[in-house]
Amino acid sequence: MEIIENKETRPLDFIRQIIADDLQTGKHQGTVTRFPPEPNGFLHIGHAKSICLNFGIAEENHGRCNLRFDDTNPSKEDVAYVESIQKDVQWLGFDWGEKVLYASDYFPQLHAYAVELIQIGKAYVCQLLPDEIRQYRGTLTEPGKESPYRNRSVAENLQLFEQMKNGEFEEGTHVLRAKIDMASPNLNMRDPVIYRILKAHHHRTGATWKIYPMYDYTHCLSDMLEGITHSLCTLEFQDHRPLYDWVLDTLNTPCHPRQIEFARLNLTYTVMSKRKLLKMVEGRYVEGWDDPRMLTISGLRRRGYTPASIRNFARTIGIGKSESRIDMGVLENEIRNDLNLRADRRMCVLDPVKVIIDNYPEGLIEEMVGKNHPQDPAMGERMLPFSKELYIERDDFMENPSKKYHRLGPGREVRLRYGYLIQYVSHVTDETTGKITEIHCTYDPETKSGSAPDGRKVKGTIHWVSAEKGLPVTVRLYDRLFKVEDPEADKAVDFLEQLNPMSRVIISGAVAEPSLAALQPGETVQFERQGYFCADPLESKIGRPVLNRTVTLRDSWESKGQL
RNA sequence: UGGGGCGUCGCCAAGCGGUAAGGCACCGGGUUUUGAUCCCGGCAUCCGUAGGUUCGAAUCCUGCCGCCCCAGCCA
């Protein structure tokens, strides 16, 4: 039986709409898109949006999406980045086919096209200094002035360009410019530089080239050479589209991809620019590009986000042209949805306080059975050792609880999850610190595994760990990196001053149920009543887990201010 | 005050001349040995604003207002 693809009935975004139209009218037989990162930094959640768009379109139309490194500026780029980028795209679950592509693969062709531009009188070598070029460009409201080098002969331009290529000139002394219109209201069209001299070592072509093509010139031609049908980029390139089109039209190329722009992703409680992320890394405000608080793909991976959650997130937020700032809660919601289905349940006490069950036999250890998932029996069960001395969460006991609080307190009875019902007897407080050191209870032997034969109702169920059999674990509670929704809103305040000092709280006294000893690095579990925690892929070891909190559980008690 | 864009519920986002989808958030209620999950219900007489065209407009036209982007030999 043929499996019919479950096409969602949700409306197409404006880009997919354009593509559907192009396919329908026969303008294109299929789609070819591309994801073109510059290898000068790590990919972040904003890139993931673009990746999901471009590769998603390829999947939906049985088309192709190229991974192409836009490596035209050797002074900023590095192989380390090309490796991390490939890993991240792959991890997200996308496939770029045969091989990775590089703009630098096209340097010879790009050069030949530049020569052609010179030959048809559409490009010239300019010897204005960088500063002079800026002055000649004019301003937003005044037209620019033509360069004195603008009307050199074709022969002279060819000669000079060849000399640039041969490394005969110093950086900054000569550039190749497109001859368009110095009076254009679009500054990008005022004879843009298309080649500059750069004597840096290129990560792939080494010292072969002394001149490198600029983005605007490179991108459209690379798209064309790959037969890209739809070239998707962010809004700030809208003003560059006329230049994209000019190059392809002027060179009369065999195909002409359509550039379409969409709004980049912004999220609340974080910053997205590579520059700012780099500043946090270099200033040691975070541990590195893959710090679990970073919204980089590698940071999210370490935090415990799954590829599915990120792809669902991209689908949920959609594609549009209006600048937006998505609520971080939307991302968090996606990872909860995903992990809720697949994470095993476990118990871990983060801030332990000792409970002594006075009437429980000394030395007895009982094995209780816990479900790995409350709704999915197929996920199995595990054993939980129960003993006279236990730890419970300090939060789960109150000396003077309100009526709405249904955990442990004087006179209260609560259920220990998968354990017994226990009844409060007394508690001991340290005189000097004022902290509660132990709570005495009695248990009802008739209530093993948590239900009372007499049918009496117990409102609260709390988690616990055997004091004797518990496993000490290191837990890091991660929270949003910034304390304000938009760290960049106030121009007078440096975004670094808005960092959330509580974005990482390291807990060393936590105790988990013994099954946590088997946790594999990278594996994620739910600590019941608390949240999802991922064994750090780098620092966690079998038997000695280090857990990163991915996200808390939704909590309608805390969030309602515990009325 | 040059050019290019954008303005639909708190946050996203459908809508493409026929009388406001969906998600998140929020608010009720139910189930529940996670105050989780799940389930049910509520949530824009109104689409930046003022006019105009039309039997009829968020959708077409005009003016106005607000916000974003552009003066790298960065991408």
Side-chain angles (χ1 to χ4, degrees):
Chain A
M1 192 175 89
E2 194 180 343
I3 295 166
I4 289 132
E5 232 178 292
N6 182 22
K7 292 277 183 195
E8 277 186 86
T9 52
R10 48 187 282 128
L12 300 178
D13 57 66
F14 81 101
I15 291 177
R16 281 182 242 252
Q17 186 64 254
I18 289 171
I19 290 175
D21 290 347
D22 287 348
L23 258 18
Q24 225 240 342
T25 61
K27 178 177 177 184
H28 295 295
Q29 308 312 312
T31 62
V32 186
T33 49
R34 103 268 91 113
F35 174 63
E38 182 186 15
N40 69 341
F42 282 66
L43 259 26
H44 54 60
I45 184 78
H47 294 109
K49 175 181 180 180
S50 176
I51 291 168
C52 292
L53 209 217
N54 282 292
F55 283 94
I57 285 169
E59 287 182 353
E60 292 153 25
N61 299 294
H62 304 291
R64 177 159 51 89
C65 179
N66 295 340
L67 172 62
R68 180 175 76 228
F69 287 99
D70 225 331
D71 55 349
T72 57
N73 187 352
S75 64
K76 290 187 175 178
E77 297 151 9
D78 194 276
V79 274
Y81 296 123
V82 342
E83 281 156 17
S84 78
I85 289 169
Q86 290 184 54
K87 177 180 179 183
D88 289 347
V89 173
Q90 233 152 16
W91 179 76
L92 281 171
F94 294 110
D95 176 19
W96 53 79
E98 304 299 294
K99 60 181 198 301
V100 177
L101 304 174
Y102 298 82
S104 54
D105 290 340
Y106 311 132
F107 283 171
Q109 290 152 94
L110 260 19
H111 173 77
Y113 275 120
V115 169
E116 191 181 328
L117 237 26
I118 292 172
Q119 284 166 337
I120 60 177
K122 294 295 187 181
Y124 62 97
V125 172
C126 182
Q127 280 164 257
L128 250 23
L129 267 11
D131 217 41
E132 296 172 319
I133 287 187
R134 193 179 322 122
Q135 282 161 21
Y136 274 70
R137 187 153 31 225
T139 68
L140 295 178
T141 51
E142 302 160 63
K145 282 188 306 190
E146 294 190 350
S147 162
Y149 305 100
R150 197 174 199 257
N151 295 307
R152 289 209 235 245
S153 69
V154 168
E156 192 182 357
N157 281 136
L158 251 16
Q159 168 67 25
L160 256 13
F161 188 48
E162 180 65 16
Q163 287 179 278
M164 281 170 64
K165 177 176 175 257
N166 294 338
E168 294 176 33
F169 303 129
E170 293 308 305
E171 288 185 13
T173 61
H174 297 65
V175 291
L176 184 69
R177 294 228 250 168
K179 189 189 285 189
I180 308 179
D181 177 11
M182 290 307 291
S184 171
N186 181 343
L187 303 237
N188 294 117
M189 299 298 270
R190 321 244 260 227
D191 290 10
V193 170
I194 58 177
Y195 262 95
R196 78 292 211 185
I197 298 168
L198 239 37
K199 296 189 173 171
H201 173 89
H202 188 280
H203 68 104
R204 298 193 77 239
T205 61
T208 306
W209 295 88
K210 312 290 185 237
I211 54 173
Y212 291 88
M214 298 284 289
Y215 167 83
D216 286 308
Y217 174 75
T218 306
H219 206 85
C220 54
L221 288 171
S222 301
D223 283 348
M224 179 277 290
L225 290 168
E226 293 175 14
I228 300 298
T229 55
H230 304 270
S231 181
L232 316 178
C233 61
T234 43
L235 253 28
E236 65 271 28
F237 290 101
Q238 286 175 121
D239 291 341
H240 296 242
R241 190 177 352 117
L243 179 51
Y244 184 105
D245 291 332
W246 182 91
V247 172
L248 296 180
D249 288 341
T250 304
L251 252 11
N252 195 224
T253 54
C255 74
H256 189 141
R258 190 209 310 197
Q259 175 178 304
I260 307 170
E261 310 86 9
F262 62 94
R264 67 184 325 137
L265 171 67
N266 292 298
L267 275 173
T268 56
Y269 300 102
T270 192
V271 295
M272 209 62 89
S273 87
K274 275 189 196 172
R275 211 196 100 253
K276 289 188 168 114
L277 295 179
L278 180 63
K279 205 168 169 185
M280 288 192 287
V281 172
E282 290 183 335
R284 309 290 295 157
Y285 294 95
V286 292
E287 302 288 305
W289 285 100
D290 63 349
D291 185 298
R293 289 167 291 183
M294 294 281 272
L295 273 296
T296 50
I297 305 296
S298 50
L300 288 164
R301 180 166 53 229
R302 242 183 118 176
R303 178 77 170 257
Y305 274 77
T306 58
S309 69
I310 293 171
R311 293 173 66 150
N312 288 340
F313 171 70
R315 188 172 41 76
T316 299
I317 60 175
I319 297 292
K321 292 188 75 164
S322 54
E323 310 241 356
S324 60
R325 184 173 289 274
I326 309 289
D327 194 312
M328 182 69 86
V330 178
L331 212 210
E332 293 170 343
N333 184 58
E334 291 301 341
I335 188 60
R336 284 193 190 102
N337 285 164
D338 192 34
L339 260 18
N340 176 45
L341 262 26
R342 50 173 136 207
D344 276 351
R345 270 53 174 176
R346 292 292 181 265
M347 292 201 284
C348 177
V349 177
L350 298 178
D351 184 12
V353 63
K354 183 169 284 187
V355 166
I356 299 166
I357 302 174
D358 296 333
N359 60 340
Y360 194 82
E362 198 84 42
L364 175 65
I365 302 279
E366 284 184 274
E367 293 287 339
M368 310 305 234
V369 179
K371 296 176 186 168
N372 286 336
H373 190 110
Q375 283 86 33
D376 185 0
M379 288 173 74
E381 358 183 87
R382 84 285 184 187
M383 297 311 244
L384 297 157
F386 188 94
S387 55
K388 184 181 181 77
E389 295 197 358
L390 310 169
Y391 290 120
I392 66 166
E393 211 68 62
R394 191 167 287 280
D395 262 5
D396 287 337
F397 176 81
M398 267 186 101
E399 284 187 271
N400 301 297
S402 75
K403 352 68 245 168
K404 294 250 186 156
Y405 180 90
H406 43 252
R407 281 114 92 165
L408 195 60
R412 303 283 188 104
E413 180 173 45
V414 294
R415 170 164 38 238
L416 294 175
R417 172 137 246 227
Y418 301 127
Y420 291 98
L421 261 38
I422 58 170
Q423 175 81 44
Y424 170 90
V425 172
S426 65
H427 66 278
V428 180
T429 303
D430 184 294
E431 284 170 22
T432 53
T433 64
K435 283 185 84 177
I436 293 167
T437 54
E438 56 188 52
I439 302 164
H440 288 262
C441 294
T442 54
Y443 83 114
D444 178 349
E446 301 301 304
T447 59
K448 184 163 180 178
S449 85
S451 45
D454 62 7
R456 71 180 186 276
K457 289 278 184 277
V458 175
K459 256 192 286 182
T461 299
I462 64 176
H463 56 97
W464 54 275
V465 162
S466 159
E468 185 176 345
K469 298 287 187 178
L471 177 74
V473 291
T474 298
V475 176
R476 298 136 159 183
L477 303 179
Y478 289 110
D479 200 351
R480 297 166 176 185
L481 236 195
F482 291 88
K483 51 188 179 188
V484 294
E485 279 202 5
D486 181 1
E488 293 154 305
D490 189 345
K491 303 278 184 278
V493 180
D494 184 34
F495 77 103
L496 291 170
E497 289 175 31
Q498 314 269 28
L499 282 163
N500 173 12
M502 302 294 279
S503 64
R504 184 184 65 179
V505 174
I506 299 175
I507 294 185
S508 50
V511 186
E513 61 172 82
S515 69
L516 261 287
L519 199 65
Q520 299 286 336
E523 195 180 340
T524 295
V525 292
Q526 181 198 95
F527 285 160
E528 296 210 22
R529 307 210 300 133
Q530 302 191 118
Y532 295 96
F533 292 76
C534 177
D536 191 290
L538 307 173
E539 297 171 32
S540 194
K541 300 277 177 289
I542 300 277
R544 232 202 82 248
V546 176
L547 294 135
N548 299 331
R549 182 171 71 192
T550 307
V551 68
T552 61
L553 251 32
R554 192 182 278 115
D555 186 348
S556 57
W557 168 249
E558 289 280 345
S559 65
K560 276 183 188 169
Q562 308 179 13
L563 300 173

